[in-house]
Amino acid sequence: MGVKSRLAAVEAIPENGSLLFTVREEDGRKEEVVLVRGDDCVEAWKNFCQHETDQRLDRGFGAAMRDGEIICPKHGSMFDACTGHCDNGKAAGSTLVAVDVTVEDGDVYLVDDDCRYLYDGGIDDDDAPGTSSHLTF
Ligand code: FES
């Protein structure tokens, strides 16, 4: 099992939005992840649509959500926040890429063996005040 990193308190996740953080993939790439609350779930998904994978779900202001579904900002396909599955629009039949998290005592932890936590915010935010990561490759 990989490193377990605390991401946020469950209560800090907006009900109709998301929290964004950046991870380091096994191959060294950075990847953005959205943390969401659905109906009776807390889940994390890679921050890109399955219709066009260069389309981010959260473009820096939190992902748009309605009725427990994440709405792609480009063509409006909606993904179930708990399962990641989409049954509508251009992304119909696809599922978001999951990142493993767990909830303990009201806090959310990243427990994914394939990536590790780098910092809060998007990939471009690593120079933001309050972050300490200035790694370059
Ligand atoms: S890019 Fe997301 S539905 Fe088309």
Side-chain angles (χ1 to χ4, degrees):
M1 178 151 165
V3 180
K4 178 174 160 186
S5 304
R6 183 185 177 278
L7 299 173
V10 172
E11 283 187 355
I13 307 170
E15 260 180 53
N16 280 310
S18 62
L19 293 179
L20 185 65
F21 61 96
T22 297
V23 297
R24 175 84 65 199
E25 300 278 20
E26 272 189 330
D27 63 6
R29 283 181 309 111
K30 290 180 179 177
E31 188 73 79
E32 293 182 354
V33 178
V34 290
L35 185 61
V36 295
R37 269 203 284 182
D39 298 334
D40 298 325
C41 75
V42 172
E43 297 290 344
W45 307 103
K46 302 262 175 88
N47 186 26
F48 55 84
C49 184
Q50 294 300 296
H51 174 226
E52 293 178 8
T53 54
D54 61 349
Q55 176 60 50
R56 295 194 294 169
L57 301 167
D58 177 349
R59 294 179 291 183
F61 318 102
M65 285 190 64
R66 188 174 56 223
D67 298 332
E69 297 193 297
I70 304 167
I71 306 167
C72 174
K74 188 158 185 185
H75 300 116
S77 282
M78 295 185 292
F79 297 85
D80 187 290
C82 293
T83 66
H85 188 67
C86 174
D87 64 2
N88 58 86
K90 303 238 183 210
S94 69
T95 302
L96 298 176
V97 181
V99 174
D100 293 338
V101 294
T102 189
V103 175
E104 289 177 19
D105 297 328
D107 289 322
V108 190
Y109 295 85
L110 176 69
V111 291
D112 197 298
D113 287 339
D114 299 326
C115 61
R116 66 182 172 85
Y117 172 83
L118 281 182
Y119 48 81
D120 290 348
I123 289 173
D124 297 335
D125 296 346
D126 59 346
D127 290 327
T131 62
S132 57
S133 176
H134 297 280
L135 298 176
T136 53
F137 290 93

